[in-house]
Amino acid sequence: MRLEGSDGRPRARTDVTLRFLFIVRQKKNVDTFQDVVTALVDGGHHVTLAVQEPLDQARRDGIAARFPQPTFEVAACPEGRGDEWRASAPLVRSARD
């Protein structure tokens, strides 16, 4: 189904809610995506921001305060792999280099 505005140009569907996951290495990298995250949660989409560096509760609350919409959440990244690839993945990655 193609949706078009009155000018014939494609327009966004407003009845679809999507889920987005942003993974950033450090809290300071959140600034890079701030406008995008704001637009997505303002549009009703669900956004999860996962930060790879350890965050205490105060830092998590600080990030969450920047995006006060209920469709936004901050998540912690796992500290390491917990699957059967944990031993092989680094070898595979280094082989492709």
Side-chain angles (χ1 to χ4, degrees):
M1 173 192 329
R2 183 177 172 158
L3 299 173
E4 294 180 355
S6 60
D7 61 357
R9 296 175 54 192
R11 64 180 172 87
R13 289 182 58 174
T14 57
D15 62 335
V16 176
T17 300
L18 301 175
R19 296 182 64 83
F20 293 87
L21 171 64
F22 288 86
I23 301 172
V24 296
R25 185 169 303 276
Q26 301 169 332
K27 178 185 163 288
K28 67 180 181 180
N29 299 127
V30 174
D31 296 339
T32 304
F33 300 106
Q34 184 165 345
D35 293 341
V36 174
V37 171
T38 299
L40 290 171
V41 294
D42 285 349
H45 300 291
H46 296 269
V47 176
T48 300
L49 177 69
V51 182
Q52 292 178 333
E53 72 178 352
L55 296 176
D56 60 22
Q57 192 60 46
R59 293 177 80 191
R60 281 178 184 245
D61 292 345
I63 294 171
R66 293 167 71 176
F67 310 101
Q69 296 84 342
T71 57
F72 177 79
E73 68 178 317
V74 178
C77 289
E79 292 187 23
R81 293 188 72 111
D83 59 12
E84 52 274 346
W85 280 94
R86 73 178 165 265
S88 303
L91 297 171
V92 172
R93 284 192 198 103
S94 66
R96 86 172 170 204
D97 292 340

